[in-house]
């Protein structure tokens, strides 16, 4: 049988998805590290950026830069339009009802802090409870602790099993009249678990409790529909979703946002100011004091455009295939134990290697050009739950291929040899 | 690859596998904790200090090979030495691991500790090597508070 050389060079997956073509869209994936081609398996920390996003940001600074909501001149009008178009772009991506439900922030961390300070704190009473899950990133724990501590409220925790799945049976008993907020992650950054958000929202709403979802690790791996999830707030970071650093999004349901206090004071968030009194602007402007990250918002919209141009319908199967491959390859290495084996997982393979500390593993892998994260992944309670100080974590994105996984496996095997002495 | 071999020298791998003076110290007069928040390494150093002399020293904790080996070798070197000598050794060790990796180390005044010269080529790992020494310093200075590399 005759094979076309083009096919032999770039094997496409069953779905016809050409990962090599996608890789060429990401300039950094063409670079070498320590003389070896970069194998980037730390997208959970931050994603790489496609040329389209880089170009959009450059173009903005080269030809469109001006402050927004201020000038009456051409450039300022254009910048304002582009910034608001980005908001609409993200509204559409999340299927929010209204662009006013999209608040631009610095990232997930700022989004959660905004909700903690402007929504939860004013209503919090001594003895109240904020319910989080056992697999939260520190950024979905510490803001709640800060406001709870001030008001004499406390944090309660939805436990998980040894596979890293939330014990949903315990949820009804944990949400009661004292619960002021449920804050859970959509996808765990340390374990990869995908949580049943719709179910959690249904249980919380049945008891009149609002829900915030930390979507930092979900948005980079599939479409998110905030209306279908039903949550009150949804937070994510642009930099993990192929956009630039410095920009993130808080989605808030209009009814919730309407009654909320501002988070920070300053320009752009007011209707009128005298020295005695300020009337605040409506959402989203009420929560966007000061000059925002204009190029960041536009760059993030370009990232959503880029992903849509390929389509989750082909990207998701590729990632699922890669996850399965990575899981199998790593499990086959003697001494490797996977941490996080939930039935429903995305993009993250966390593991420990017998006799080799994750930090040493990270260094040895780095010598091979393989970038992974070693540590507690800002989720110390998760490490405590599994009785380990740290894990090595390979986190995938749609631009990874099987060669990346093979390079990881080869480097892990090498690390075993170094430590076998 | 030579960098990696320099980092994980046999003596370091050996101390990692078979840490000396590992475990709590009965009759310790002081102890201190070291914590590297970046990677989660934790080490507790125990000592029995009598007058100017460190009579016994031990450590406990979890960490990477570098921090564990550094702690282990440290305990073997400071036992029976005076507090002043140990302070001086800690200073010499710290300057060595933070020195220019292209300049050969003066093995003479470092002895076995020269094995850690390899970390100089790995800036993110320097704190692993210095963590137990930070904790030891806290112990002998009587600052029994947890110490951090940050
Ligand atoms: C699940 C999760 N939540 C929150 C964050 C914090 O995101 P950022 O640092 O961009 O605010 C991260 C980032 O690591 C994360 O993985």
């Amino acid at each position: 049988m005759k094979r076309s050389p083009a096919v032999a060079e770039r094997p496409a997956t069953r779905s016809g998805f050409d990962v090599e073509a996608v890789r060429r869209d990401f300039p950094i994936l063409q670079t070498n590290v320590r003389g070896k081609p970069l194998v980037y398996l730390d997208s959970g920390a931050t994603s790489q950026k496609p040329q389209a996003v880089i170009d959009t940001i450059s173009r903005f600074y080269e030809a469109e830069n001006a402050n927004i909501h201020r000038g009456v001149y051409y450039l300022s009008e254009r910048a304002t339009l582009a910034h608001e178009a980005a908001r609409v772009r993200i509204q559409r991506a999340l299927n929010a009802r209204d662009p006013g439900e999209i608040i631009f922030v610095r990232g997930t961390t700022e989004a959660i802090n905004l909700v903690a300070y402007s929504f939860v704190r004013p209503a919090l009473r001594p003895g109240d409870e904020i319910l989080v899950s056992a697999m939260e990133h520190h950024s979905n724990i510490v803001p709640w602790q800060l406001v709870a501590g001030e008001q004499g409220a406390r944090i309660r925790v939805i436990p998980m099993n040894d596979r890293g799945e939330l014990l949903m049976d315990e949820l009804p008993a944990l949400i009661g009249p004292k619960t002021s907020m449920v804050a859970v992650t959509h996808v765990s950054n340390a374990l990869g678990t995908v949580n049943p958000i719709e179910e959690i929202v249904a249980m919380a709403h049945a008891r009149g409790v609002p829900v915030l979802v930390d979507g930092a690790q979900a948005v980079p791996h599939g479409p998110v529909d905030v209306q279908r999830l039903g949550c009150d707030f949804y937070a994510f970071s642009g930099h993990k979703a192929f956009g630039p650093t410095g920009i993130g999004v808080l989605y808030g349901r209009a009814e919730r946002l309407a009654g909320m206090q501002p988070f920070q004071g300053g320009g752009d968030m007011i209707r009128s100011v005298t020295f005695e009194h300020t009337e605040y602007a409506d959402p989203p402007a009420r929560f966007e004091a000061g000059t925002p990250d204009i190029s960041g918002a536009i760059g993030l919209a370009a990232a959503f455009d880029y992903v849509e141009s390929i389509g989750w319908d082909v990207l998701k199967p590729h990632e699922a295939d890669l996850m399965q491959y990575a899981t199998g390859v790593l499990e086959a290495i003697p001494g490797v134990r996977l941490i996080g084996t939930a039935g429903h997982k995305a993009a993250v393979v966390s593991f420990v290697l017998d006799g080799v500390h994750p930090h040493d593993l990270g260094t040895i892998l780095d010598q091979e050009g393989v970038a992974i994260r070693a540590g507690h992944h800002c989720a110390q309670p998760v490490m405590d739950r599994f009785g380990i100080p740290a894990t090595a974590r390979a986190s995938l994105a749609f631009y990874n291929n099987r060669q990346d996984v093979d390079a990881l496996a080869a480097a892990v095997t090498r690390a075993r040899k170094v430590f076998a002495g | 690859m030579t960098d990696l071999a320099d980092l994980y020298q046999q003596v370091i791998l050996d101390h990692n596998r078979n840490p000396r003076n590992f475990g709590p110290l009965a009759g310790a007069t002081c102890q201190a904790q070291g914590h590297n928040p970046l990677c989660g390494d934790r080490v507790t150093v125990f000592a029995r200090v009598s007058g100017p002399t460190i009579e016994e020293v031990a450590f406990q904790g979890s960490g990477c090979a570098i921090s564990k080996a550094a702690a282990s070798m440290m305990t073997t070197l400071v036992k029976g030495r005076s507090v002043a000598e140990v302070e001086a050794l800690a200073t010499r060790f710290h300057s060595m691991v933070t020195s220019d990796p292209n300049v050969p180390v003066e093995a003479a005044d470092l002895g076995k500790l020269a094995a850690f010269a390899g970390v100089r080529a790995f800036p993110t790992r320097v704190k692993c090597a210095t963590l137990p020494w930070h904790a030891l310093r806290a112990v002998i200075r009587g600052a029994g508070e947890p110490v951090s590399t940050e």
Side-chain angles (χ1 to χ4, degrees):
Chain A
M1 206 180 97
K2 241 176 83 181
R3 279 209 297 161
S4 130
V7 172
E9 267 169 28
R10 338 180 202 140
T13 59
R14 263 163 299 158
S15 58
F17 172 62
D18 182 357
V19 64
E20 299 312 314
V22 164
R23 290 174 69 82
R24 284 193 291 276
D25 293 338
F26 288 78
I28 211 167
L29 298 180
Q30 322 308 319
T31 61
N32 285 344
V33 166
R34 303 187 191 284
K36 307 211 164 115
L38 170 65
V39 175
Y40 190 72
L41 294 169
D42 197 20
S43 296
T46 198
S47 66
Q48 298 302 346
K49 324 301 175 199
Q51 190 70 53
V53 168
I54 299 167
D55 287 348
T56 299
I57 295 167
S58 302
R59 206 178 316 117
F60 174 77
Y61 283 121
E62 283 165 10
E64 296 166 3
N65 179 53
N67 210 331
I68 59 169
H69 303 310
R70 284 171 172 78
V72 292
Y73 53 89
Y74 175 79
L75 271 187
S76 174
E77 264 173 35
R78 282 217 22 203
T80 305
L81 285 175
H83 186 255
E84 292 315 303
R87 196 188 303 280
V88 172
R89 179 68 189 84
I90 288 151
Q91 174 220 343
R92 188 157 64 74
L94 298 185
N95 192 30
R97 280 177 214 84
D98 189 272
E101 297 181 316
I102 303 299
I103 300 162
F104 284 123
V105 291
R106 221 153 38 87
T108 310
T109 303
E110 189 172 74
I112 297 171
N113 275 277
L114 195 162
V115 176
Y117 282 92
S118 295
F119 179 69
V120 169
R121 184 175 181 248
L124 211 55
R125 301 281 167 268
D128 280 356
E129 297 169 358
I130 296 161
L131 185 60
V132 300
S133 89
M135 63 179 83
E136 297 309 316
H137 187 278
H138 295 164
S139 66
N140 202 21
I141 301 173
V142 182
W144 307 117
Q145 275 173 345
L146 286 169
V147 295
E150 275 177 14
Q151 308 292 325
R154 65 179 183 133
I155 308 295
R156 295 195 72 189
V157 182
I158 311 167
M160 62 179 162
N161 64 20
D162 290 342
R163 286 149 50 98
E165 295 163 324
L166 292 183
L167 300 180
M168 291 297 289
D169 291 350
E170 306 212 0
L171 196 52
L174 285 165
I175 309 176
K178 286 182 177 302
T179 314
S180 61
M181 188 79 188
V182 174
V184 287
T185 194
H186 196 168
V187 175
S188 158
N189 70 310
L191 303 168
T193 312
V194 180
N195 285 318
I197 298 299
E198 285 170 65
E199 225 180 298
I200 295 170
V201 169
M203 273 188 220
H205 282 183
R207 292 160 178 79
V209 178
V211 178
L212 173 139
V213 178
D214 172 350
Q217 299 292 343
V219 173
H221 302 291
V224 169
D225 181 334
V226 290
Q227 291 194 57
R228 213 182 50 152
L229 293 175
C231 56
D232 299 271
F233 299 99
Y234 195 96
F236 73 93
S237 300
H239 70 94
K240 293 183 198 280
F242 318 103
T245 52
I247 188 78
V249 168
L250 172 66
Y251 156 81
R253 269 195 15 223
E255 308 90 277
R256 298 295 188 194
L257 295 178
M260 276 165 61
Q261 300 281 318
F263 179 44
Q264 293 173 336
D268 282 330
M269 50 76 72
I270 46 87
R271 190 169 286 143
S272 70
V273 179
T274 66
F275 282 110
E276 290 72 39
H277 182 71
T278 293
E279 252 184 68
Y280 306 124
D282 287 335
R286 189 187 300 161
F287 307 104
E288 294 179 348
T291 299
D293 182 353
I294 305 164
S295 71
I298 296 168
L300 180 58
F304 277 97
D305 283 342
Y306 173 78
V307 171
E308 194 181 81
S309 74
I310 307 168
W312 283 119
D313 53 330
V314 291
L315 294 174
K316 271 190 83 120
H318 167 68
E319 271 196 52
D321 176 69
L322 206 55
M323 259 298 274
Q324 201 183 2
Y325 182 68
T327 304
V329 163
L330 282 169
E331 264 178 341
I333 300 173
V336 165
R337 179 162 63 97
L338 297 188
I339 304 295
T341 48
H344 193 187
K345 271 185 73 172
V348 171
V349 189
S350 243
F351 62 98
V352 289
L353 177 60
D354 220 17
V356 185
H357 190 278
H359 208 190
D360 295 308
L361 193 58
T363 293
I364 296 172
L365 265 52
D366 177 50
Q367 293 295 300
E368 305 285 335
V370 179
I372 59 147
R373 181 145 175 212
H376 53 57
H377 317 298
C378 298
Q380 284 182 14
V382 174
M383 300 298 114
D384 294 344
R385 168 65 179 74
F386 286 91
I388 46 178
T391 74
R393 178 190 73 177
S395 50
L396 308 168
F398 57 71
Y399 45 64
N400 288 118
N401 57 17
R402 287 189 173 208
Q403 287 92 304
D404 290 337
V405 174
D406 292 339
L408 167 67
V412 171
T413 303
R414 192 187 147 74
R416 277 192 80 225
K417 294 219 179 80
V418 170
F419 275 81
Chain B
M1 253 341 76
T2 57
D3 280 356
L4 209 53
D6 276 352
L7 181 66
Y8 295 113
Q9 296 190 16
Q10 278 311 321
V11 56
I12 289 179
L13 293 176
D14 174 59
H15 274 274
N16 174 50
R17 255 194 305 270
N18 309 300
R20 325 291 198 266
N21 305 302
F22 188 73
L25 178 66
T29 53
C30 43
Q31 69 181 67
Q33 228 191 62
H35 178 213
N36 182 346
L38 181 70
C39 54
D41 284 3
R42 278 178 193 283
V43 63
T44 305
V45 174
F46 309 90
R48 191 164 77 234
V49 182
S50 170
T53 310
I54 299 175
E55 288 183 338
E56 278 295 339
V57 62
F59 82 103
Q60 204 173 21
S62 74
C64 65
I66 303 301
S67 76
K68 214 160 145 192
S72 170
M73 193 186 284
M74 176 184 83
T75 61
T76 65
L77 293 176
V78 305
K79 210 182 273 196
R81 308 270 284 265
S82 78
V83 167
E85 281 173 319
V86 169
E87 284 274 6
L89 189 60
T91 303
R92 279 207 301 281
F93 182 68
H94 195 271
S95 350
M96 184 273 281
V97 292
T98 52
S99 67
D100 181 346
N102 299 311
V103 179
V105 299
E106 298 279 347
D109 49 313
L110 283 159
K112 289 187 201 164
L113 290 175
F116 288 92
V119 302
R120 297 178 306 163
F122 297 84
T124 60
R125 307 303 303 274
V126 168
K127 283 179 173 180
C128 307
T130 56
L131 179 67
W133 288 91
H134 281 296
L136 178 66
R137 269 201 159 132
V139 171
I140 59 185
R141 287 175 187 176
E145 297 293 329
V147 293
S148 163
T149 55
E150 292 300 285

